[in-house]
């Protein structure tokens, strides 16, 4: 085993950098140090002329649905819309007044009173769930002078209400300020800079106008070689409150894809009409964590197909003028669904997106049907991090460590940065880190010309399946939430483990080559399953699959559905169940396996942060490997010819990632005494390329690390890696 | 304000002590020191002859359903029975074998195969919930030689099962070893001492025999003046496992009240037949925490009426021979329900029960329709506490402190101890404590000749109402459980606070004199309500009551029922709701009131142990007084003319009890600047007897305490109390 020869690794290419008029010198120096071959502009900056003639790729960002208030103002009926749900109002008498915009930001949204409320709105008694007939309510409003189609002060008045029932109104509203521009505007204090309105390309006139504008822009910018669309038509759900602060954000949401025209087109096509409730969903707006209804899935499908077909007109325009079409994975990406069935139709050359960790890296890298992918690394060259007390170099190392282990599995083709080079130049330690990162990235591509060896194929099962590949448990992009961190850790760990990952919906057949399945999440959500577990067919199929030799890993509250005396419908498989307060009268005498093989790398006091509470081993059930305060944190079970394991939570860190690695080995009966290429130090991970006799080793820490491991001949090897190093070895 | 004159306080009376043959001298000394006027026997001891002629009351314990194996063995078909649910068995093929006694203790229970299984048993597919027709299963067993009516090795064989569905069998079993004797037998290692069988007095022959035996016993023991029944007919639910350890215990359970004869009598009376599922309840056996079904409530009613009427035959027998009839609140007390409608029919003179804290004290003291009540104080004179490393004096002080504050509200009429005086005599510090306790108790009765002043009336609302007065949240008697401690603390605090307490079922009208209601508990349970909150009528009535000026205190997960976008159906009243994972996309900006009046006695870092997680203030909702890790621990809200407050949990301690006191004052708008008789030190509590110008002050700690408070004239007073002292003052 010797270090691979680095002499042939290219020192330029695969890197995109931002440039900035007025900071040309700093940008030039960065270009050289990082070996960049492409330049881009950022918010509020332009690519300086000199960089347009250096043979580099030149990216230019392009909005399809905003940045043209002249059009927006002259076509107010083609602005983007959404359904909003009012605050619930408790009736004190038979008359209830519902102030529609209470709690909303009237600079962002205005009530659409043009489309007949009696047809397009819905008032509900939330205490009974019943719809209030339109004859029993009316709308009162004052229109503002400027936009006669909308109303700023508008209420629904219900007559004949049941006292002390709660009432809501779901109504159409226009989105009169693009949410991303609004966010930037408010965050950066842009003062009286005009608010950009968003228009809806579902309307043919608007779409024709946007296409013509794109064409004109391409002609005006002949040296822009790559059109970077930001993104296409529909903003991910982002709604502000009456204090001009974020009120609702769902990076996966379709709340802002609505228009009466689209609802009517949907009805004409599918034979039924969606109601306001289909969109507002009791106020949850079909958050990612709700198990989607069939109607909602059909709406999503409808939006996706429209988006793909219409976006193709834009990419075709770019192609017709000899440019590449690149999509930014963000902003108006609702409906694009890179893993959906219509995505290939868009005809994109590339996708670029922000990379904060392993899962977001794989989310971009694994996208099918594009020529290349690009990851925008953290941190952006923005003043929030590039300031005196900031640590941009440290942040860059931490996020690189998390993304890099996933790149060994499947890398993006390019990386890049965003922001202002003038800021980066003030932090030479950051520039050194970035230079090392970019060269490591080229080294990785130099040696990694095919996929490394894997243990096998693991399926993650939830309500979304492959549509949301690498995306589970994200509330906003790459931001972990306390409720989801114990489960997101599973996805993050998988992104860099030596396994193939398959994404399945509940009820989809498990392919023959899958040897392990994972079900993780909080009870009742789309991830743990909720009501799907009321289906005996699904329950029996899961049991049968494990019984026949499969491995089921449950994390959190998998298969939670109170029925037949069980909290977890797969309690017999997992060997554990959850106390909800009904069996406090039952004494429990679990059996323990505290030094189980799966736990060999765990500290004695290991316990995951948060995760499920009240889980216990059932009679004659699982062996408890770790418990906390009397409840199971980790347990293993034998089930027929198969195995199962349970963890209350697995937030991402090196120890938990190693635990998952060991669980997958044990569960698939690959728990030999010392499996090959499993280092004894969880901070070091290996990627083995058997066919090429290559081994990549990464140190996932900022200190030097040593590890011993066995190679495939059984010979013990030892290696020491410098802080956060990646070394390549020939075997 | 001066100390009351103690000269007239009697120094004897109101105290019962155990005696013991062979320890007469120690018992005599105790009798004198504690001023006892009654003696009793304990398990395995008898009252020595000399104490029977001293003019003392002499208690003799009496079992009604055990201690007569000759009868039991000659009438095996009249033994006590219960329904058991087998362990679930997952079908691997169309044939499933269910070992009925797997996991049960065959020395306690045996399968009843005398009553036709096809009629009396039920096999279920728990994966679908469906009943398997009796034609599809059969019973295989070997009978043991000695008891031909029961089977020790017995299985149900199901044919035509759905593979990978789970199956259970619910079957009748005989209870062949009295659970309490079994517990004592196993705990104390009684070796080959015979196992006492329990017979069921529902059978007329058995009852006639038991009555005759009682009469004989009374004639044989003419100096026993008080018959202490232990208790009557049906053991609280207590089932052991195959390791001879406790498997299931529910002090409030009716699992062991079953017999085919009673089921048939119930059917004849009510017109419908209960099924095995009505008893096994998916394996939860209608634990106290399950919202009871109407069928189950009717069964409980049926058992209660039978118990009262039959028990009257026993008390009549005692009375006819000139003895008092006293009931021990424990062991076979299922069906007696001291707060039930039939209890007065029993005709008891007294009830005695164990007192571990304030709630259990009130549970006994408040029992209606008896001449007197008696509390058996902790610790028992048993070797578990009365040993070298034990601290019986300390334990006695702690439980006395908790019980005493409740006695100021309503005391038991007598107190006493249990166990072996020979043990107590070895701990002179304990004897000193007991002497002080008994004299304090007599002092309390001397001055407290009527009820102290109260703030008003508080209703605790749950599925059980007054039937379970002072009993909520107990899994076994006076044993707090981790799941319930955050809620039981409310009951314990109330037991000593200056309020009257009313116990209501959900849906019962709230009486006019109730100014505050409390709903506390874990979601889905009988205490927080579960499915009752699907009823719009109940929800609207609660809202209306608060709106009109009432005060609602919610603790834990009150009114939890996912519907209409709410987790708590009373979220609008409480001003808080609970995150279950569906609204992670919603940003929250609560308003805070960290120095609110209710929190004036709280430490800065106050947070209750456990309790509900994920609670947040709704938009325009409650003011957050305390939060922990981003979630509400304490919040207050205004609602119409009323008020509401929310606490995630309130485990019992002096600070939380004071918090509850302040919440009740604030909620009922009695939050003046400095209310009268509210000391500034939570460890001191006052009971004010306005009519008599008396004030009782207790120090609820083992250190000296000082407090200032305002009397009703507004004058500030200060007092200092010795460690755990109770002082009486004339105003």
């Amino acid at each position: 085993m010797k270090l691979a020869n680095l002499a042939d690794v290219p020192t330029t290419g695969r890197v995109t950098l931002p440039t900035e008029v007025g900071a040309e010198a700093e940008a030039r120096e960065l270009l050289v140090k990082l070996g960049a071959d492409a330049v881009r502009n950022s918010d509020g900056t332009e690519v300086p002329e000199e960089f347009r003639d250096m043979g580099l790729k030149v990216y230019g960002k392009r909005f399809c649905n905003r940045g043209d208030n002249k059009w927006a103002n002259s076509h107010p009926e083609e602005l983007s819309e959404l359904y909003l749900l009012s605050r619930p109002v408790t009736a004190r008498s038979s008359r209830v007044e519902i102030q529609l915009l209470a709690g909303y930001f009237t600079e962002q949204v205005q009530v659409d009173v043009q489309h007949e409320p009696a047809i397009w709105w819905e008032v509900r008694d939330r205490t009974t769930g019943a719809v209030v007939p339109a004859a029993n309510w009316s709308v009162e409003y004052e229109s503002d002078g400027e936009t006669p189609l909308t109303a700023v002060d508008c209420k629904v008045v219900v007559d004949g209400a049941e006292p002390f029932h709660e009432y809501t109104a779901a109504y159409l509203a226009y989105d009169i300020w693009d949410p991303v521009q609004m966010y930037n505007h408010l965050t950066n204090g842009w003062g009286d800079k005009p608010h950009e309105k968003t228009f809806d390309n579902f309307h043919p006139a608007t779409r024709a106008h946007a296409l013509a504008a794109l064409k004109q822009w391409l002609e005006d910018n002949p040296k822009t070689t790559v059109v970077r669309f930001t993104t296409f038509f529909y903003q991910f759900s982002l709604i502000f409150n009456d204090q001009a602060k974020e009120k609702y954000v769902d990076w996966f949401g379709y709340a802002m894809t609505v228009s009466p025209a689209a609802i009517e087109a949907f009805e004409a096509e599918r034979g039924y009409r969606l109601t306001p409730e289909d969109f507002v969903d009791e106020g949850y707006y079909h958050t990612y964590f709700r198990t989607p209804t069939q109607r909602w899935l059909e709406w999503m499908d409808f939006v996706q197909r429209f988006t793909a077909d219409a976006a193709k007109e834009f990419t075709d325009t770019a192609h017709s003028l000899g440019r590449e079409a690149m999509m930014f994975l963000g902003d108006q990406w609702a409906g694009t669904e890179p893993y959906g069935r219509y995505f290939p139709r868009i005809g994109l050359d590339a996708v670029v997106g922000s990379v904060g960790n392993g899962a977001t890296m794989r989310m971009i890298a694994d996208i099918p049907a594009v020529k290349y992918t690009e990851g925008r690394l953290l941190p952006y060259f923005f003043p929030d991090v590039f300031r005196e007390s900031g640590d941009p170099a440290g942040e860059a190392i931490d996020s690189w460590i998390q993304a890099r282990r996933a790149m060994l599995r499947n890398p993006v083709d390019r990386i890049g940065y965003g922001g202002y080079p003038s800021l980066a130049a003030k932090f030479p330690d950051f520039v050194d880190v970035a230079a090392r990162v970019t060269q490591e990235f080229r080294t990785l591509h130099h040696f990694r010309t095919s996929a490394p060896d894997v243990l096998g194929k693991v399926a993650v099962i939830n309500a979304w399946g492959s549509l949301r590949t690498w995306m589970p448990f994200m509330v906003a992009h790459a931001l972990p939430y306390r409720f989801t961190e114990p489960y997101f850790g599973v996805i993050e760990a998988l992104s860099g483990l030596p396994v193939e990952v398959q994404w399945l919906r509940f009820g989809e057949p498990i392919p023959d080559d899958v040897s392990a399945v994972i079900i993780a999440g909080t009870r009742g959500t789309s991830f743990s399953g909720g009501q799907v577990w009321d289906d005996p067919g699904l329950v029996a199929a899961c049991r049968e699959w494990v019984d026949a030799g499969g491995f089921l890993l449950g994390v959190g509250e998998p298969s939670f559905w109170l029925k037949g005396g069980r909290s977890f419908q797969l309690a017999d498989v997992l060997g554990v169940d959850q106390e909800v307060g009904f069996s406090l009268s039952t004494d429990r005498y679990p059996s323990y396996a505290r030094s189980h093989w799966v736990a060999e790398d765990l500290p004695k006091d290991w316990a995951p942060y948060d995760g499920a509470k009240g889980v216990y081993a059932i009679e004659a059930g699982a062996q408890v490997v770790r418990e906390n305060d009397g409840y199971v944190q980790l347990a293993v079970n034998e089930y027929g010819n198969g195995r199962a394991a349970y963890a209350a939570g697995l937030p991402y860190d090196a120890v938990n990632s190693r635990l998952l690695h060991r669980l997958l080995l044990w569960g698939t009966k690959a728990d030999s005494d010392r499996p090959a290429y499993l280092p004894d130090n969880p901070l070091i991970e290996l990627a083995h390329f058997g066919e090429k006799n290559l081994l990549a080793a990464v140190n996932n820490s900022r200190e030097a690390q040593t590890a011993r491991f066995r190679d495939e001949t059984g010979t013990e090897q030892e290696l020491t890696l410098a802080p956060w190093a990646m070394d390549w070895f020939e075997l």
Side-chain angles (χ1 to χ4, degrees), chain A:
Chain A
M1 200 173 103
K2 57 167 190 172
L3 280 168
N5 176 13
L6 301 178
D8 296 335
V9 177
T11 55
T12 63
R14 296 189 180 271
V15 172
T16 306
L17 286 182
T19 55
E20 187 183 358
V21 173
E24 285 83 352
E26 293 95 327
R28 263 197 310 274
E29 194 181 329
L30 268 185
L31 280 177
V32 172
K33 283 201 173 161
L34 276 54
D37 62 344
V39 291
R40 50 166 300 218
N41 57 350
S42 286
D43 263 1
T45 68
E46 282 307 320
V47 175
E49 201 53 36
E50 63 170 284
F51 294 111
R52 296 178 184 266
D53 295 307
M54 290 169 65
L56 302 169
K57 283 186 178 226
V58 178
Y59 296 6
K61 70 175 194 300
R62 184 71 198 161
F63 296 111
C64 300
N65 72 334
R66 66 162 164 128
D68 191 345
N69 274 5
K70 192 176 151 199
W71 177 264
N73 288 329
S74 59
H75 298 79
E77 73 291 352
E78 301 201 353
L79 288 178
S80 294
E81 296 209 54
L82 71 165
Y83 268 109
L84 290 177
L85 186 69
S86 76
R87 241 182 225 168
V89 178
T90 305
R92 253 72 181 190
S93 68
S94 63
R95 182 184 159 91
V96 182
E97 291 194 3
I98 304 172
Q99 290 291 346
L100 296 179
L101 288 172
Y104 291 105
F105 187 39
T106 53
E107 293 186 49
Q108 183 191 7
V109 290
Q110 286 189 349
V111 181
D112 167 8
V113 287
Q114 177 193 23
H115 295 94
E116 175 57 41
I119 293 169
W120 290 99
W121 299 9
E122 192 174 86
V123 176
R124 282 199 182 230
D125 176 341
R126 290 286 171 190
T127 304
T128 64
V131 174
V132 178
N136 291 10
W137 53 267
S138 57
V139 183
E140 295 179 6
Y141 64 94
E142 289 177 41
S143 179
D144 72 353
E146 288 180 34
T147 51
L149 303 178
T150 62
V152 289
D153 183 13
C154 186
K155 61 190 176 195
V156 159
V157 180
V158 184
D159 282 310
E162 282 285 333
F164 296 100
H165 285 211
E166 275 193 319
Y167 289 85
T168 58
Y171 57 97
L172 279 170
Y174 284 110
D175 180 21
I176 59 166
W177 194 358
D178 174 77
V180 170
Q181 202 234 2
M182 175 175 69
Y183 175 86
N184 289 330
H185 202 288
L186 295 168
T187 305
N188 298 316
W190 285 350
D192 58 2
K193 184 168 177 174
H195 297 185
E196 292 187 4
K197 294 184 175 179
T198 57
F199 34 82
D200 185 350
N201 282 275
F202 194 83
H203 305 295
T206 285
R207 192 159 76 253
H209 174 78
L211 276 166
L214 170 63
K215 198 166 177 214
Q216 185 63 49
W217 178 81
L218 289 167
E219 284 165 1
D220 294 346
N221 293 276
K223 292 177 183 170
T224 295
T225 61
V226 180
V227 187
R228 211 220 50 168
F229 291 102
T230 314
T231 303
F232 287 105
F233 312 129
Y234 298 115
Q235 170 67 40
F236 64 81
S237 309
L238 182 58
I239 303 167
F240 272 42
N241 73 8
D242 52 359
Q243 305 300 310
K245 290 179 181 164
E246 188 182 280
K247 178 186 175 78
Y248 181 89
V249 59
D250 181 3
W251 203 61
F252 299 92
Y254 277 57
M256 307 184 88
T257 62
V258 183
S259 65
I263 289 171
E264 283 170 349
F266 177 93
E267 183 181 7
E269 179 183 312
R270 311 262 170 158
Y272 67 95
R273 188 183 180 90
L274 294 177
T275 69
E277 185 67 16
D278 283 317
F279 293 94
V280 300
D281 179 32
E282 301 186 343
Y284 300 121
Y285 297 98
H286 293 291
T287 159
Y288 196 16
F289 295 83
R290 296 272 281 176
T291 297
T293 60
Q294 187 56 34
R295 291 161 76 95
W296 189 245
L297 287 172
E298 291 195 26
W299 174 257
M300 287 176 63
D301 183 85
F302 177 85
V303 172
Q304 287 165 44
R305 198 190 55 209
F306 162 74
T307 299
D309 290 341
K312 182 175 190 301
E313 298 176 32
F314 289 73
T315 59
D316 281 353
T317 300
H319 289 153
S320 71
L321 288 163
R323 321 298 170 87
E324 284 190 338
M326 175 183 275
M327 178 181 107
F328 174 63
L329 192 70
D331 293 14
Q332 297 83 14
W333 78 293
T336 63
E337 297 293 356
Y339 295 93
R341 56 197 288 212
Y342 304 111
F343 178 76
R345 293 193 193 177
I346 303 178
L348 287 162
D349 300 286
V351 175
V352 61
S354 176
V355 164
N357 51 25
T360 49
M361 204 295 301
R362 291 292 296 271
M363 180 198 300
I364 296 162
D366 287 18
I367 290 174
V370 290
K371 294 183 189 131
Y372 64 94
T373 58
E374 180 169 322
R376 191 188 287 172
L377 300 187
L378 299 183
Y380 281 48
F381 309 163
F382 281 161
D384 55 342
V385 175
F386 286 80
R387 65 181 200 282
E388 208 152 314
S389 59
D391 178 22
E395 289 193 24
I397 294 171
D398 288 344
S399 89
W400 178 244
I401 285 174
Q402 254 182 268
R404 184 180 59 186
R405 60 187 287 277
M407 288 189 182
L408 285 169
R409 299 294 140 201
N410 186 32
V412 287
D413 299 290
R414 303 179 52 84
I415 54 178
Y417 290 96
Y420 312 113
S422 53
L423 276 177
K426 291 179 190 156
F427 289 78
D429 61 333
F430 168 78
V431 175
D432 290 346
V433 165
R436 177 170 154 188
V437 161
T438 47
Q439 190 56 27
E440 274 193 1
F441 180 68
R442 285 184 288 261
T443 304
L444 186 145
H445 270 285
H446 178 73
F447 291 112
R448 193 208 166 285
T449 53
S450 62
D453 302 349
V454 293
L455 305 174
K457 193 180 266 189
V458 176
V460 176
I461 307 186
N462 56 45
W464 298 101
S466 64
L467 184 72
R468 296 287 167 80
T469 295
W470 294 111
M471 300 173 190
F473 306 111
M474 294 183 196
V475 178
H477 181 90
L479 284 182
Y481 273 61
R482 182 176 160 192
F483 253 73
T484 56
E485 223 174 320
Y487 317 119
F488 175 73
V490 174
I491 308 301
E492 179 65 12
L494 282 178
S495 74
L497 287 181
V499 291
E500 275 186 84
V501 183
Q502 175 112 22
W503 308 82
L504 298 176
R505 288 194 314 279
F506 292 115
E508 268 190 290
I510 300 172
D512 287 344
D513 60 349
V514 167
S515 56
V517 304
I518 299 176
I519 301 171
T522 306
R523 68 175 73 169
T525 63
S526 58
F527 297 108
S528 71
Q531 60 266 42
V532 302
W533 297 107
D534 196 28
D535 172 13
L538 177 63
V539 173
C542 290
R543 288 175 181 152
E544 184 168 11
W545 185 84
V546 179
D547 188 76
F551 172 55
L552 168 66
L553 171 63
V555 182
E557 300 175 324
S559 77
F560 186 98
W561 186 253
L562 285 178
K563 183 178 176 184
R566 297 291 203 200
S567 300
F568 296 162
Q569 288 304 305
L570 296 178
D572 65 326
V573 181
L574 297 163
V576 301
D577 205 349
Q578 190 174 27
E579 179 60 69
V580 296
F582 298 155
S583 54
L584 297 176
S585 293
T586 299
D587 299 88
R588 315 206 188 276
Y589 307 92
S591 67
Y592 292 93
R594 291 199 170 88
S595 56
H596 194 276
W597 188 87
V598 302
E600 281 181 19
D601 299 317
L602 289 189
K604 273 227 159 53
D605 60 348
W606 175 89
Y609 166 79
D610 267 353
K613 307 276 187 261
V615 173
Y616 61 86
I618 60 172
E619 255 189 36
Q623 289 194 291
V624 178
V625 181
R626 285 289 190 284
E627 64 181 1
N628 186 21
D629 213 2
Y631 294 128
V632 173
Q633 300 297 312
L634 182 65
V636 294
N637 197 34
E638 303 275 345
Y639 189 82
N641 292 314
R643 289 177 168 179
Y646 171 82
L650 281 177
Y652 180 72
D653 63 23
V655 165
N656 287 344
S657 181
R658 170 56 50 87
L659 171 57
L660 178 57
H661 193 157
R662 279 190 174 266
L663 284 166
L664 293 170
L665 285 165
W666 175 81
T668 55
K669 300 180 185 170
D671 53 325
S672 65
D673 187 33
R674 294 193 57 200
Y677 301 109
L678 186 72
D680 64 357
N681 178 347
L683 290 165
I684 287 186
E685 287 185 291
L686 304 176
H688 179 232
F689 300 80
E691 271 182 36
K692 295 180 184 154
N693 278 316
L694 267 175
L695 185 74
V698 285
N699 174 356
N700 293 333
S701 82
R702 293 212 228 165
E703 291 82 43
Q705 299 289 342
T706 297
R708 277 171 299 278
F709 63 91
R710 205 170 56 75
D711 68 20
E712 59 195 343
T713 70
T715 310
E716 177 153 300
Q717 306 276 1
E718 179 174 305
L719 52 75
T720 295
L721 296 178
W724 65 283
M726 172 175 66
D727 286 347
W728 289 81
F729 297 94
E730 290 173 14
L731 294 173

